[in-house]
Amino acid sequence: MALARGQPRRLDMPTATMLATLLDQEMLSSRGIVIAPSDTSIPELPVCTGSDVYERHLGKRLLLRYIMRKQYDEFLHGSSRSHFVTTTPYPADEAVSSLALPQPTPRRYVLILDPREIARIAGPRWVRFGTGIEYFLPDGFPRRALLAGWPIPVR
Amino acid sequence: MVSQSILDTLTTIQDRVAERHGFSRLSDWADRHGSWERTIVRRGELLSFIVALAITETDEGLFEITALSGAESGPRYRRIDGGALHLDDPDEVTVRAAEIEAVVDAATIAALAVKPDQLSSTRESLRAAAPAA
């Protein structure tokens, strides 16, 4: 079911950031995908293939992994460590609050990841102490998952 | 660069605090958009208490250790920013272990002090939004 029509609704959070997150929540919900509570442990999250997440969860959308400037060239060949990623584009400073990041430096670069190139993806789950939606990459991501091949600047 | 041995030291510190306050692991070390983070949880009758320990290599080349904690109940939550310690070298975690443990302990105690009526933030939903006045 798509967004309710006809009945005007009032939201107390009119920022574009919040609206973007709400639309992602609606997208997942309309596809029957449940966003797990933030206190769900990683082993309790459902694990899907990246292709399944791409087709069935995200409607052929991509995943985002914000990075510190210091990490600019750290993942150009992919990464085997575990990463959290999100569905939602945020301005550099609002990524910190929406994703409840522990370090407040605005994230001015983002990696765009193609889920189809990632073998296993867990989630989605609500971000603890934040309003964002996250997925978990237990095995990281290969180089070929980097859509642009390098980080994209974010304002 | 944050090495596995640094993360192992921080795990030992966090697990000591977890055991003292009845927490268990929620998420093992992973890179959360630039910070290595590990979280522990204690699920209560009304609230879940979560404490995150993070280490970040800042853009200035320092290493920042942060404790972030709070409580959640469904879409409602309260976040408490704990202390942060700055290290010139990540290997300092060994000699400053007591300091780090004190920060994590304080963040954990602060989380456990949260009452249900203190959950001041809410994740909204389009479907739950009130009709316009």
Side-chain angles (χ1 to χ4, degrees), chain A residues 3 9-10 13 22 26 38-39 65-66 69-71 81-82 84 103 107 127-130 134, chain B residues 26 31-34 36-37 43 48 50 57 59 64 70 72 77 79 123-124 126-127 130 132:
Chain A
L3 291 174
R9 289 168 180 266
R10 176 179 59 81
M13 45 155 79
L22 288 168
E26 181 69 17
S38 58
D39 63 351
R65 202 306 206 165
Y66 294 90
R69 180 166 48 83
K70 186 92 179 170
Q71 294 181 308
R81 73 175 64 154
S82 300
F84 287 97
Q103 212 284 333
R107 301 312 199 255
V127 170
R128 82 283 172 277
F129 319 136
E134 65 188 6
Chain B
L26 179 61
D31 194 322
R32 181 184 287 282
H33 304 282
W36 280 102
E37 182 187 283
R43 296 182 181 89
S48 286
I50 299 174
E57 184 174 7
D59 288 341
E64 183 174 299
E72 305 229 356
Y77 63 95
R79 168 182 171 162
R123 294 182 195 98
E124 298 287 352
L126 287 171
R127 295 180 187 282

Side-chain angles (χ1 to χ4, degrees), chain A residues 1-3 7-11 13 22-23 25-26 29 38-42 44 64-71 75 81-86 96 99-105 107 125-131 134 136, chain B residues 1 25-37 39 41 43 48 50-52 54 56-61 64 66 68-72 74 77-80 86 122-133:
Chain A
M1 183 173 161
L3 291 174
Q7 177 73 41
R9 289 168 180 266
R10 176 179 59 81
L11 293 171
M13 45 155 79
L22 288 168
L23 290 172
Q25 177 191 7
E26 181 69 17
S29 171
S38 58
D39 63 351
T40 308
S41 70
I42 295 296
E44 292 173 310
L64 301 169
R65 202 306 206 165
Y66 294 90
I67 61 170
M68 305 280 285
R69 180 166 48 83
K70 186 92 179 170
Q71 294 181 308
F75 305 120
R81 73 175 64 154
S82 300
H83 292 261
F84 287 97
V85 294
T86 185
V96 174
L99 300 172
L101 302 181
Q103 212 284 333
T105 302
R107 301 312 199 255
R125 180 174 79 171
W126 288 111
V127 170
R128 82 283 172 277
F129 319 136
T131 54
E134 65 188 6
F136 184 73
Chain B
M1 185 81 174
R25 187 177 64 186
L26 179 61
S27 299
D28 208 347
W29 291 108
D31 194 322
R32 181 184 287 282
H33 304 282
S35 298
W36 280 102
E37 182 187 283
T39 51
V41 65
R43 296 182 181 89
S48 286
I50 299 174
V51 181
T56 309
E57 184 174 7
T58 68
D59 288 341
E60 294 72 35
E64 183 174 299
T66 320
L68 180 66
S69 68
E72 305 229 356
Y77 63 95
R78 182 182 181 89
R79 168 182 171 162
I80 301 164
H86 293 90
T122 304
R123 294 182 195 98
E124 298 287 352
S125 163
L126 287 171
R127 295 180 187 282

Side-chain angles (χ1 to χ4, degrees), chain A residues 79-128:
Chain A
S79 171
S80 59
R81 73 175 64 154
S82 300
H83 292 261
F84 287 97
V85 294
T86 185
T87 53
T88 313
Y90 297 114
D93 52 346
E94 292 187 30
V96 174
S97 54
S98 295
L99 300 172
L101 302 181
Q103 212 284 333
T105 302
R107 301 312 199 255
R108 301 200 182 281
Y109 296 93
V110 66
L111 298 170
I112 302 175
L113 300 175
D114 186 337
R116 290 173 295 182
E117 302 292 350
I118 300 170
R120 296 194 306 146
I121 301 177
R125 180 174 79 171
W126 288 111
V127 170
R128 82 283 172 277

